[in-house]
Amino acid sequence: MEFSVKQSAIEQQRTACLIIGIYEEQRLSSSAAQLDKLSNGYITTLLKKGDLEGKVGQALLLHHLPNVLADRVLLLGCGKEGELNERQYKQIITKMIETLDGTGSTDAVCYLSDLTTKTRSTYWNIRFAIETIYNHRYAYTDFKSIKPETKHTLREVIFNVDDPKAFALAEQAVNHGTSIAIGANFAKDLANCPPNVCTPKYLAKMAQSLDSQYEHITTTIVDEQEMEQLGMNAYLAVSRGSENRAFMSIIHYNNATVPDTKPIVLIGKGMTFDSGGISIKPSEAMDEMKYDMGGAAGVYGTMKAIAQMQLPLNVIGILAGCENMVDGNAYRPGDIVTTMSGLTVEVLNTDAEGRLVLCDALTYAERFNPALVIDVATLTGACMVALGTHNSGLISTHDTLASDLLQAAEQSDDKAWRLPMGEEYQEQLKSNFADLANIGGRLGGAITAGVFLSNFAKKYPWAHLDIAGTAWKSGIMKGATGRPVPLLSQFLINKSNSQLAE
């Protein structure tokens, strides 16, 4: 699918389809009013007859409008004028693609960028449209021997921009929207890949493949032998029960205007399959534990997105690849492991393994003298209980960093909610035999998991995103979501803008 922007009068548009918004109560968007005047009131006549009420999700496809050069005109209901929100806008874009895919239209000129929304500009209308189209078109069929038939005749969408002052931002929206959507789709592909294929070694190969694709990326791999030399005993304890060895992939993206700028470090939990270990999970839906590497997939997709956008930043993405399996050599409840930091941890539950991998990865990140560190993980079912599947959980020891992430979540419509921290939660992690226990009891589980990680992130500004409820969907819509690629990408866009302004 190709996307572009242009500025031209509606009466000059020769295209397979014009896409126009109609509000409720027979109110016309600015482009619809122009088209109605051009067609001698054809649209208002239809509206008065009740052919379209203008409600969100409605569509009416018209052919051969009087005095209109386009082959078709697609009228889309946009709800009440001035009350359109992000969710409704994405529903409108989805309806647009569903309708056009049922026609022979190969190209379309979209006038939805002129819709009035509560808080969004033309930039956001275009960017959200592109991300929504990519998301709607996404399908993971790599392992289907008989590919499902798809009727995708639409190959190009052109966004019309009337305001010359908004044109540069509109072009940027195409770049950002396309790059983020591509990054999210690659994250989905990686997460949807079956665990007999997507092993820690496969994660490492995917990270290495970015070297040849982007000039600003170099990747190094830390294997189990090097982990042992570094004292990453918590990470290795989790891997011990699996025949698939652990690999930690370090993706360096160096493109800052000032070369020695401190890097932003993103760490993704890459548990390519999580059986729970000896504290084994219930069998129901255990197949979905291939998604326990959603954090690594999200970091991988974000690194791809920022490389596509060529953001002027230094960013390091760490994919902490590992597999948690049941075996005679697997680590046990009651074991005490010494982390890379020197702190000891008593293992009370082998299914609380992600924090053991991440704690060593957080210590490893110190060597980069980072400006800040964000770890991303499908860490706790407790976060799903607290926030459902709509918001990712955010925990941070740094208020400014937390505020910046929440702003990026709001901007990108990739929602997050900050959870509290405090010494009281540290009390739950006390152990009679080690410095820390790896669980803090049933209550406040998402918070105690984040607080556990905070013990290993004291040398830099740090935040933790728990994406257990947002990284994938279950049921008939089962599949990876690509989150939080939009959130992290927006955070990095904001950082690059602030650095350029300095």
Side-chain angles (χ1 to χ4, degrees):
M1 178 78 79
E2 296 292 327
F3 300 97
S4 61
V5 296
K6 76 174 183 180
Q7 181 184 12
S8 61
I10 200 165
E11 64 269 16
Q12 298 173 353
Q13 297 286 9
R14 291 186 179 273
T15 179
C17 190
L18 287 177
I19 301 162
I20 307 295
I22 302 292
Y23 298 114
E24 290 183 33
E25 299 175 353
Q26 301 179 16
R27 297 184 65 84
L28 306 180
S29 63
S30 60
S31 55
Q34 294 176 52
L35 202 63
D36 187 54
K37 183 178 180 180
L38 186 64
S39 63
N40 299 320
Y42 192 94
I43 294 175
T44 52
T45 300
L46 287 176
L47 297 180
K48 288 176 181 177
K49 291 180 178 179
D51 288 57
L52 187 74
E53 295 178 355
K55 296 184 182 297
V56 172
Q58 291 183 333
L60 181 63
L61 186 64
L62 307 176
H63 294 264
H64 309 300
L65 254 68
N67 306 318
V68 175
L69 298 177
D71 297 335
R72 305 169 184 83
V73 173
L74 177 60
L75 304 181
L76 291 168
C78 298
K80 293 184 178 180
E81 186 174 7
E83 296 186 13
L84 186 64
N85 60 34
E86 293 88 349
R87 183 170 179 269
Q88 292 170 333
Y89 181 72
K90 291 179 181 181
Q91 290 173 339
I92 293 165
I93 296 298
T94 299
K95 185 65 176 181
M96 176 189 87
I97 291 299
E98 288 175 347
T99 304
L100 289 178
D101 279 344
T103 73
S105 301
T106 57
D107 64 278
V109 178
C110 180
Y111 279 81
L112 297 182
S113 57
D114 70 355
L115 294 179
T116 56
T117 62
K118 290 182 179 180
T119 58
R120 298 300 183 177
S121 63
T122 296
Y123 167 90
W124 288 108
N125 284 353
I126 293 174
R127 179 171 144 186
F128 281 157
I130 292 171
E131 292 181 32
T132 303
I133 291 168
Y134 265 90
N135 187 57
H136 177 73
R137 284 277 183 91
Y138 178 81
Y140 188 70
T141 61
D142 288 12
F143 292 86
K144 286 183 178 288
S145 59
I146 302 174
K147 307 293 184 184
E149 291 186 16
T150 55
K151 186 179 180 182
H152 291 165
T153 55
L154 185 67
R155 296 192 294 270
E156 181 182 14
V157 175
I158 302 164
F159 297 96
N160 189 80
V161 178
D162 288 328
D163 184 2
K165 295 179 182 178
F167 203 82
L169 278 175
E171 290 183 315
Q172 187 180 68
V174 171
N175 175 29
H176 288 177
T178 304
S179 299
I180 292 168
I182 288 172
N185 277 4
F186 271 85
K188 293 175 193 176
D189 284 348
L190 200 54
N192 286 327
C193 190
N196 59 317
V197 175
C198 184
T199 62
K201 186 175 182 179
Y202 181 85
L203 273 185
K205 286 182 177 178
M206 292 299 292
Q208 287 174 315
S209 72
L210 296 176
D211 281 33
S212 58
Q213 297 175 41
Y214 302 103
E215 63 173 317
H216 299 298
I217 285 182
T218 57
T219 301
T220 57
I221 306 299
V222 178
D223 60 17
E224 288 195 349
Q225 183 177 359
E226 186 174 351
M227 288 182 195
E228 189 171 357
Q229 293 170 355
L230 291 167
M232 301 177 77
N233 300 307
Y235 197 138
L236 290 171
V238 178
S239 177
R240 211 165 60 204
S242 174
E243 290 188 6
N244 292 308
R245 291 179 175 272
F247 291 92
M248 187 169 66
S249 309
I250 319 297
I251 306 167
H252 299 260
Y253 173 79
N254 296 302
N255 194 33
T257 306
V258 179
D260 60 351
T261 301
K262 288 183 178 182
I264 294 168
V265 176
L266 308 176
I267 302 174
K269 174 187 171 185
M271 203 61 52
T272 56
F273 189 77
D274 178 22
S275 70
I278 288 177
S279 306
I280 196 165
K281 292 178 179 291
S283 59
E284 184 181 359
M286 196 193 283
D287 63 291
E288 294 183 7
M289 287 303 96
K290 70 176 184 178
Y291 291 121
D292 209 18
M293 43 68 70
V299 170
Y300 173 83
T302 301
M303 297 303 291
K304 191 169 184 69
I306 66 171
Q308 289 275 135
M309 290 184 280
Q310 298 186 10
L311 295 185
L313 294 170
N314 289 342
V315 183
I316 296 173
I318 299 177
L319 312 186
C322 191
E323 188 177 57
N324 186 23
M325 296 295 286
V326 182
D327 181 83
N329 198 39
Y331 77 132
R332 297 153 292 224
D335 284 1
I336 294 177
V337 296
T338 303
T339 66
M340 185 180 177
S341 72
L343 290 173
T344 57
V345 178
E346 181 185 12
V347 177
L348 299 182
N349 189 321
T350 64
D351 193 25
E353 83 299 328
R355 65 201 72 182
L356 296 177
V357 169
L358 288 174
C359 73
D360 278 348
L362 286 164
T363 302
Y364 184 88
E366 292 175 6
R367 65 186 52 216
F368 302 119
N369 189 24
L372 59 93
V373 176
I374 303 167
D375 75 73
V376 189
T378 50
L379 203 63
T380 65
C383 193
M384 297 176 67
V385 173
L387 299 178
T389 60
H390 308 298
N391 285 267
S392 298
L394 168 64
I395 285 179
S396 181
T397 52
H398 196 273
D399 288 342
T400 301
L401 175 55
S403 178
D404 289 346
L405 283 166
L406 290 174
Q407 180 188 12
E410 178 67 23
Q411 288 174 305
S412 62
D413 198 37
D414 188 356
K415 295 180 174 65
W417 191 265
R418 190 177 184 184
L419 298 170
M421 292 184 67
E423 294 180 3
E424 304 88 348
Y425 296 105
Q426 287 282 6
E427 293 291 321
Q428 293 180 235
L429 295 168
K430 282 188 173 181
S431 164
N432 290 344
F433 309 110
D435 298 322
L436 293 165
N438 78 323
I439 58 172
R442 190 172 69 88
L443 301 180
I447 298 171
T448 55
V451 168
F452 175 90
L453 293 176
S454 72
N455 290 283
F456 304 88
K458 295 183 177 180
K459 296 186 178 180
Y460 42 69
W462 164 82
H464 159 68
L465 283 172
D466 193 330
I467 60 169
T470 57
W472 79 93
K473 294 180 180 180
S474 300
I476 193 170
M477 299 296 292
K478 182 166 72 173
T481 63
R483 296 175 67 183
V485 172
L487 188 165
L488 293 174
S489 298
Q490 184 60 47
F491 173 82
L492 295 170
I493 289 170
N494 293 346
K495 284 295 180 185
S496 67
N497 289 340
S498 64
Q499 287 190 18
L500 289 173
E502 291 175 356

